[in-house]
């Protein structure tokens, strides 16, 4: 395996040297002429290093990046604690992921830590950390996020369970964890399999168009720590221990978790033929490359051919060689985008040292039968030879200067060690390629100290974290922490789009925006390297003052078009709605909206002051009357203060604006049931809850409330049917088990009731403690606080296994209800 890799590298270098001597490479215009000679990484070489004077075109933008890491509150993050021990899992990560986990409109940030030496105790590892975007240019460490001290690699946000909150998957060496978002608070999903393995890139996608997110996870190698002397080999004049060479280890399988529809998964990679057993995989990109509405899967493999899986209606066909993208080089990062504006999306791939990076131009529109074909044009466009001395990792297309052409960022950092003791990895400068109207790319990084200063970089992700209309860069360094570079580069006009669906996913939606003379394409999918950029879609418009048309093709085939959308604003585009909705309008109004909404969320979650939150949510809704999160949380706060009628009216408004809002119907029905004073109220609650089930039949919250309403109405058989269905489909149905125990006790089966109580307690976890609050006495004054009609009685259970003790208060509650 080592010989194979060496032969390929020498073959590549030989081809390069011959091409240079023959003068047959078009990009020599970008480099100084000179005689080819033996190349050693790190030394200056006229033919393969960028010119010191750059020779930039006169119309190149004035690059202006401001490092704001410390000012933004991210300076305390560290990616590695301790001293390297020259083992592969210590050096491959980490990455980062942008995502709006709290639904307040700005992107929050999860930073993955590589941890520390492989033999270190978990307590000694640097922790991965979640930061909340405060909306004022700074971030705050989120308290209460489950401690995550692992040998981390990547992270990716996705709404795994369809509850409109982003959940988080984290990968690493012997690490594969799913964290469930429970209204802004996270808990680790212990039912999700943390399989043994070296897990790298993770990416969410509804590959089968069934309306829920599936998850692809790349497996790297089956790493085994050394037990004796460590052998070394020579690579480019450097001694490299075998523990740093991926060819020393067998490849790890890849995983595809198919969503069952309720947020639980079946692993089906082998069944669907995408387990990629021969590949040492690092990144997996879901992207519709032939515009048929179905996302392809392109996998970047180290020291083995890359693989392209053509999606044929939820089944896959491997077409890597036929499509000319079976790249044999050591591939790390992936990005997709229409950099040349020819109407299809192309692929950028970062590679190991002496292998150049690849820029695969998509040719499918020119092929007979529209077969997928690509051609590597990296050398022709100025992003190939320049990368020869570098090891490339994170990469993204983005419009740096908002001129309507996609530029390209690349994070670099060597895998070669220094000669120092202890040995460190060799730092390298990063790239920032400006796209000159689809003709060629020019590296602007030497103009900026933050990019030109050599570092051992890995992850790279983009977001407009400060909502000022341009994309900012986040780079994660293996030899330090994270660097946030605010983009202050002068440029053209812009539009940002937040895509909303009434049901389903947005990850592979295609957005086509028309300006005079061009159609620009974007998609919210992103993998980079171990990283995820913002799902807000950003367009630079140049001198255009509006988008003539914006068409969104939703996953599954639906299309919507909006016309004459003004520039320099953030818009929300909701499936099926005839007009875009300004997310606060212009910059000043937008900033005021999010300041107010953020303060409302803080008052609700942190200060526990619903009255203050109500006032702030109402002020935010004056600016943006249709903001769904503000309407929903305003209703919850109103309910918490006892103003049930106004809460129900607010939820009615949310239902009117979004007739497919599952949470609006669920909350309305539950609140109506909790506060019911008549049979008619319970009937209305049932209608709303049944509508919630129709919208999302796999989510069990509405069924839980329906079962409890059935008990209130004296329909025990119907209640039992609903609770039993929940137990069959929900991993931790503690409340349903508790109430099934009540029904068994009611029927005189005390042993079965006791069994249900024991299962309910086990489902609540070993750390569960009863709340100790009873629903008796002040029931009518407290009912609005209960999240389900009988939630107070269930919460009041002290954990006793004795059915008579456990159900006495509940029996009295139900008897009182039926009398009423």
């Amino acid at each position: 395996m080592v010989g194979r890799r060496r032969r390929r590298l020498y073959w590549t270098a030989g081809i390069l040297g011959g091409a240079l001597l023959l003068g047959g490479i078009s990009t020599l215009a970008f480099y100084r002429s000179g005689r080819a000679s033996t190349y050693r990484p790190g030394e200056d070489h006229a033919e393969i290093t960028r010119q010191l004077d750059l020779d930039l075109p006169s119309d190149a933008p004035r690059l202006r990046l401001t490092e704001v890491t410390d000012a933004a509150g991210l300076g305390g993050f560290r990616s590695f604690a301790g001293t390297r021990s020259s083992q592969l899992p210590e050096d491959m990560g980490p990455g980062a992921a942008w995502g709006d986990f709290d639904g307040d409109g700005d992107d929050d940030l999860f930073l993955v830590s590589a941890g520390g030496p492989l033999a270190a105790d978990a307590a000694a590892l640097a922790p991965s950390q979640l930061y909340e975007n405060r909306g004022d240019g700074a971030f705050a460490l989120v308290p209460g996020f489950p401690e995550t001290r692992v040998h981390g690699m990547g992270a990716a946000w996705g709404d795994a369970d369809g509850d409109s909150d982003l959940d988080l998957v984290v990968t690493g060496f012997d690490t594969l964890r799913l964290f469930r978002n429970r209204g802004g608070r996270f808990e680790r999903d212990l039912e999700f399999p943390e399989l043994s393995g070296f897990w790298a890139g993770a990416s969410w996608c509804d590959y089968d168009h069934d309306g829920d997110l599936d998850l692809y996870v790349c497996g790297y190698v089956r790493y085994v720590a050394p037990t004796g002397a460590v052998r070394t080999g020579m690579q480019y004049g450097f001694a490299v221990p075998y523990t740093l060479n991926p060819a020393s280890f067998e490849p790890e399988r890849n995983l595809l978790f198919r969503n069952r529809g309720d947020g639980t998964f079946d692993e089906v990679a082998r069944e669907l033929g995408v387990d990629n057993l021969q590949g040492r995989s690092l990144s997996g990109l879901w992207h519709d490359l032939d515009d048929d509405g179905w996302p392809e899967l392109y996998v970047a493999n180290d020291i083995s051919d890359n693989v392209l899986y053509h999606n044929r209606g939820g089944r896959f066909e491997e077409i890597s060689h036929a499509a000319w993208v079976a790249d044999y080089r050591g591939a790390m990062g992936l990005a997709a985008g229409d950099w040349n504006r020819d109407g299809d999306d192309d692929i950028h791939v970062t590679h190991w040292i002496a292998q150049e990076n690849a820029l695969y131009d998509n040719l499918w529109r020119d092929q007979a039968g529209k077969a997928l074909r690509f051609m590597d044009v990296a050398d022709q466009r100025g992003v190939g030879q320049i990368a020869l001395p570098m090891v490339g990792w994170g990469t993204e297309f983005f419009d740096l200067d908002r001129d309507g052409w996609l530029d390209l960022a690349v994070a670099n950092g060597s895998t070669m060690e220094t000669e120092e003791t202890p040995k460190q990895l060799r730092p390298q400068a990063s790239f920032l390629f400006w796209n000159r109207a689809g003709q060629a790319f020019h590296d602007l990084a030497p103009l900026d100290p933050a990019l030109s200063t050599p570092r051992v970089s890995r992850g790279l992700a983009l977001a407009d974290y400060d909502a000022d209309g341009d994309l900012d860069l986040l780079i994660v360094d293996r030899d330090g922490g994270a660097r946030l570079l605010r983009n202050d580069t002068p440029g053209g006009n812009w539009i940002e789009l937040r895509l909303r669906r009434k049901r389903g996913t947005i990850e592979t939606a295609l957005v086509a925006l028309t300006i005079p003379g061009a159609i620009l394409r974007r998609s919210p999918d992103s993998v980079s390297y171990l990283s995820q950029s913002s799902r807000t879609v950003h367009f630079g418009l140049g001198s255009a003052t509006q988008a003539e048309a914006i068409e969104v093709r939703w996953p599954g085939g639906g299309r919507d078009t909006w016309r004459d959308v003004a520039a320099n604003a953030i818009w929300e585009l909701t499936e099926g709605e005839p007009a875009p909705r300004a997310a606060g309008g212009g910059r000043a109004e937008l900033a005021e909206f999010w300041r107010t909404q953020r303060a409302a969320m803080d008052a609700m979650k942190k200060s526990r002051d619903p009255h203050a939150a109500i006032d702030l949510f109402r002020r935010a809704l004056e600016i943006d009357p249709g903001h769904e999160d503000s309407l929903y949380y305003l209703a919850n706060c109103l309910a918490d203060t006892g103003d049930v009628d106004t809460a129900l009216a607010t939820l009615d408004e949310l239902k009117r604006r979004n007739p497919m809002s599952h949470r609006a119907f669920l909350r309305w029905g539950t609140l109506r049931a909790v506060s019911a004073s008549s049979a008619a109220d319970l009937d209305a609650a049932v209608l709303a809850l049944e509508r919630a089930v129709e919208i999302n039949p796999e989510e069990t919250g509405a069924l839980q409330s329906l079962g409890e309403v059935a008990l209130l109405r004296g329909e025990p058989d119907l209640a039992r049917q609903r609770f039993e269905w929940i137990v069959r489909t929900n991993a931790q149905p503690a409340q349903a088990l508790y109430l099934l125990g009540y029904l068994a006790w009611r029927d005189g089966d005390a042993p079965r009731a006791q069994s249900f109580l024991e299962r309910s307690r086990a489902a609540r976890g070993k750390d569960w403690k009863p709340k100790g609050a009873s629903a008796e006495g002040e029931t009518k004054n407290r009912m609005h606080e209960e999240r389900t009609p009988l939630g107070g009685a269930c919460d009041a259970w002290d954990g006793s296994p004795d059915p008579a003790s456990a159900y006495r208060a509940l029996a009295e509650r139900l008897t009182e209800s039926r009398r009423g």
Side-chain angles (χ1 to χ4, degrees):
M1 299 298 286
V2 175
R4 179 186 177 193
R5 184 176 191 180
R6 187 174 298 154
R7 286 195 300 272
R8 284 178 171 172
L9 295 178
Y10 290 161
W11 181 85
T12 303
I15 292 296
L16 171 63
L20 289 172
L21 290 172
L22 292 173
I25 298 179
S26 62
T27 50
L28 284 177
F30 294 104
Y31 303 92
R32 296 176 179 174
S33 60
R35 182 174 57 85
S37 61
T38 302
Y39 172 66
R40 177 185 175 91
E43 67 185 18
D44 192 17
H45 194 293
E47 291 176 338
I48 57 177
T49 57
R50 56 184 176 271
Q51 298 180 39
L52 296 178
D53 56 7
L54 294 181
D55 287 340
L56 291 174
S58 60
D59 55 346
R62 296 173 56 194
L63 179 65
R64 187 181 303 160
L65 299 177
T66 306
E67 182 165 356
V68 295
T69 310
D70 290 335
L74 302 176
F77 173 76
R78 290 294 175 267
S79 61
F80 195 88
T83 303
R84 292 179 63 251
S85 61
S86 296
Q87 299 194 66
L88 196 60
E90 299 172 351
D91 293 349
M92 297 301 292
W98 292 99
D100 181 13
F101 80 83
D102 53 4
D104 63 356
D106 48 36
D107 282 304
D108 310 297
L109 178 63
F110 188 80
L111 294 175
V112 185
S113 170
L118 207 58
D121 292 337
L125 301 178
S128 301
Q129 294 179 328
L130 176 61
Y131 290 88
E132 182 183 17
N133 190 336
R134 300 192 320 202
D136 57 0
F139 295 80
L141 194 63
V142 175
F145 187 86
E147 186 172 81
T148 307
R149 295 179 184 266
V150 297
H151 301 285
M153 290 284 281
W157 295 99
D159 183 7
D161 46 14
D163 64 354
S164 299
D165 290 329
L166 290 178
D167 308 297
L168 181 70
V169 65
V170 178
T171 68
F173 181 65
D174 281 341
T175 297
L176 183 56
R177 299 183 182 180
L178 178 61
F179 296 97
R180 302 282 187 175
N181 185 347
R182 306 301 189 194
R185 297 180 181 275
F186 289 85
E187 59 185 40
R188 182 177 167 189
D189 184 349
L190 298 178
E191 299 298 320
F192 188 79
E194 185 167 14
L195 302 174
S196 177
F198 192 170
W199 309 116
S203 48
W204 297 94
C205 176
D206 180 14
Y207 78 88
D208 52 1
H209 287 173
D210 64 353
D212 47 46
L213 278 180
D214 312 295
L215 175 66
Y216 192 73
V217 179
C218 292
Y220 189 37
V221 299
R222 296 182 180 178
Y223 184 81
V224 179
T227 57
V230 175
R231 303 183 308 276
T232 61
M234 299 302 294
Q235 292 182 335
Y236 295 96
F238 296 104
V240 178
Y242 86 90
T243 53
L244 292 180
N245 189 345
S248 304
F249 308 96
E250 293 297 315
E252 182 57 87
R253 70 197 188 281
N254 294 354
L255 308 171
L256 176 56
F257 292 97
R258 182 170 58 201
N259 199 322
R260 296 170 179 159
D262 59 356
T264 62
F265 300 87
D266 295 310
E267 203 287 293
V268 296
R270 182 178 180 182
E271 172 187 331
L272 294 180
V274 295
D275 48 351
N276 194 203
L277 293 177
Q278 302 306 311
R280 296 165 175 84
S281 303
L282 288 170
S283 300
L285 171 69
W286 294 101
H287 198 89
D288 184 4
L289 296 168
D290 57 0
D291 279 3
D292 66 350
W294 293 88
E296 275 65 58
L297 174 62
Y298 187 54
V299 181
N301 290 323
D302 196 2
I303 65 170
S304 56
D305 292 351
N306 289 357
V307 180
L308 176 60
Y309 297 103
H310 192 195
N311 189 343
R312 297 189 179 278
R315 311 295 294 183
F316 295 94
E317 177 188 1
E318 196 264 292
I319 61 167
S320 317
H321 289 85
W324 305 341
V325 289
D327 195 326
Y328 61 86
R329 294 167 285 186
M332 282 81 165
L334 298 173
D338 185 12
W339 66 273
N340 52 5
R341 300 203 322 203
D342 66 349
D344 47 37
D345 290 340
D346 315 296
I347 303 173
H348 185 251
V349 187
T350 57
H351 288 132
W352 198 57
I353 198 168
Q355 297 179 355
E356 300 191 354
N357 293 338
L359 181 59
Y360 285 110
D361 189 17
N362 192 339
L363 308 176
W364 78 271
R365 292 182 184 275
D366 303 322
Q367 305 299 307
K370 301 299 183 184
L372 273 171
R373 295 286 189 277
F374 295 83
M375 178 177 291
D376 187 0
V377 297
D379 279 342
Q380 300 173 29
R381 303 303 177 181
V383 297
Q385 282 192 16
I386 193 173
L388 276 169
M390 304 298 186
V391 179
W393 305 90
T395 180
E396 283 284 15
F397 286 108
F398 76 117
D399 193 345
L400 167 74
D401 56 344
R402 307 178 300 286
D403 64 351
W405 294 90
L406 284 175
D407 309 300
L408 182 62
V410 181
N412 296 318
S414 183
T415 57
M416 300 294 189
E417 296 181 313
T418 66
E419 297 175 357
E420 304 167 356
T421 300
K423 292 182 179 298
Q424 303 298 319
L425 297 177
R426 295 177 180 269
Q428 296 178 328
S430 291
F431 293 135
L432 184 54
F433 294 109
W434 171 63
N435 181 356
R436 192 184 189 209
Q439 303 168 21
F441 288 91
H442 301 266
D443 184 23
L444 305 183
L447 303 177
D448 183 78
L451 294 176
S452 60
T453 300
R455 301 298 301 267
V456 183
S457 299
R458 293 293 186 260
L460 179 149
L462 309 174
D464 182 10
Y465 82 96
D466 52 0
D468 66 351
D470 48 35
L471 288 174
D472 310 294
L473 286 80
L474 189 284
I475 299 176
V476 186
D477 298 321
R478 168 57 183 75
D479 59 345
R483 286 179 290 148
L484 181 59
L485 309 180
R486 190 182 67 215
N487 184 3
D488 299 320
T489 304
N493 295 318
W494 57 275
I495 278 180
E496 290 182 2
L497 305 175
R498 296 176 182 150
L499 307 182
R500 310 288 188 198
R501 298 200 73 182
K502 294 177 179 178
R503 185 185 177 195
T505 68
I506 67 164
E507 275 67 16
T508 55
L510 172 65
V511 185
L513 183 147
T514 303
I515 57 174
I519 297 177
L520 312 180
R521 295 162 54 96
R522 303 286 188 273
S523 182
D525 53 27
S526 163
V527 294
S528 184
Y529 174 75
L530 307 179
S531 301
Q532 183 182 54
S533 294
S534 172
R535 302 183 342 159
T536 297
V537 181
H538 176 273
F539 288 88
L541 304 182
S543 60
T545 58
Q546 67 173 11
E548 295 177 350
I550 300 174
E551 181 184 83
V552 177
R553 188 187 68 204
W554 305 100
R559 294 175 186 257
D560 286 300
T561 300
W562 295 267
R563 301 191 181 278
D564 301 327
V565 183
N568 301 325
I570 301 175
W571 298 93
E572 287 189 359
L573 304 182
T574 301
E575 182 181 22
E577 289 194 358
R581 182 159 53 86
R587 294 191 188 191
E589 194 175 17
L590 173 67
E592 177 60 25
F593 170 81
W594 286 118
R595 276 195 295 269
T596 307
Q597 210 268 355
R598 161 73 63 178
M601 296 294 289
D602 285 346
M604 180 182 68
K605 292 182 178 181
K606 297 179 180 179
S607 304
R608 306 284 183 178
D609 187 345
H611 293 283
I614 288 168
D615 179 62
L616 289 163
F617 279 127
R618 283 174 169 162
R619 285 162 51 190
L621 287 165
E622 289 175 2
I623 301 172
D624 186 357
H627 192 261
E628 292 186 16
D629 282 343
S630 295
L631 286 167
Y632 179 74
Y633 291 121
L634 171 60
N636 285 337
C637 291
L638 288 164
D640 286 344
T641 62
D643 191 352
V644 174
D645 290 340
T646 309
L648 292 170
T650 304
L651 291 168
D652 279 330
E653 174 64 12
L654 178 53
K655 290 189 292 180
R656 185 188 70 78
R657 289 182 175 272
N658 183 0
M660 295 296 291
S661 176
H662 172 267
R663 62 179 176 174
F665 283 95
L666 171 58
R667 187 70 176 110
W668 194 100
T670 302
L671 184 58
R672 180 74 286 172
V674 165
S675 59
S677 58
S678 67
D681 287 343
L682 289 178
D683 292 342
V686 168
L687 289 175
L689 292 168
E690 288 176 342
R691 177 60 180 147
V693 172
E694 289 177 5
I695 295 171
N696 187 354
E698 304 300 333
E699 203 278 333
T700 59
L703 276 177
Q704 180 68 42
S705 289
L706 281 169
E708 295 180 20
V709 170
L711 280 178
L712 289 168
R713 298 168 79 177
E715 300 171 330
D717 292 339
L718 179 59
R720 181 181 290 105
Q721 179 184 14
R722 286 167 170 165
F723 296 144
E724 287 177 346
W725 192 93
I726 293 170
V727 169
R728 287 195 300 269
T729 59
N730 192 324
Q732 294 179 313
Q735 194 156 312
L737 289 166
Y738 173 84
L739 293 172
L740 282 171
Y742 166 75
L743 289 168
W745 177 70
R746 176 183 176 279
D747 291 341
D749 192 344
R752 193 159 183 261
Q754 184 173 351
S755 175
F756 277 120
L757 285 172
E758 291 170 352
R759 291 173 62 189
S760 177
R761 179 158 189 166
R764 295 168 193 255
K766 63 180 181 179
D767 297 326
W768 171 72
K769 295 181 180 178
K771 292 184 178 180
S774 174
E776 297 179 80
E778 52 174 348
T779 297
K780 293 184 179 180
N781 294 328
R782 292 175 49 85
M783 285 172 78
H784 62 273
E785 297 181 4
E786 300 173 15
R787 290 291 173 175
T788 62
L790 300 177
C794 299
D795 289 340
W797 175 44
D798 63 2
S800 168
D802 174 38
S805 173
Y807 296 123
R808 184 179 297 109
L810 176 58
E812 293 174 359
R813 165 77 178 275
L814 292 174
T815 300
E816 179 185 344
S817 174
R818 285 190 288 273
R819 286 173 182 166

